[in-house]
Amino acid sequence: MTLPQLNIDRHDRGRRALITLAGEVGPATAPQVRTALERCLGDGITIIDVDLTTVGLCDSSGLRVFLDASRHAETQAFGAAFDRGSAASWSGTADGRRGTASSACSG
């Protein structure tokens, strides 16, 4: 059995980070996504964009990671938004504005 593969790249610009995911987000790889998002928050990043354009599969475990991150961001006065358009993103702002959540992930 071949394990799903997920590549995670992070590029920071000031207090903003772009996380680019390529591959599958499922039970075996969702913890890697969670870790990447938590590291951003731990590093003081206030806006996180997650590019999902090259994600072939995102199941309920992947969706759970994004929902948990969204909830965490809201408790920290961040907002969250998901979209699988050309610049899919999860982002938070430090000014307390709240965002909305939607996702192309399915489970």
Side-chain angles (χ1 to χ4, degrees), residues 6 8 21 25 29-41 60-69 72:
L6 179 68
I8 302 174
L21 304 178
V25 182
T29 58
Q32 295 171 289
V33 177
R34 182 179 305 277
T35 298
L37 295 174
E38 288 173 349
R39 282 187 183 148
C40 286
L41 295 174
S60 60
S61 59
L63 179 57
R64 169 57 59 195
V65 169
F66 293 119
L67 290 175
D68 288 348
H72 176 77

Side-chain angles (χ1 to χ4, degrees), residues 80-94:
F82 297 96
D83 185 12
R84 189 170 176 185
S86 59
S89 67
W90 173 83
S91 60
T93 57

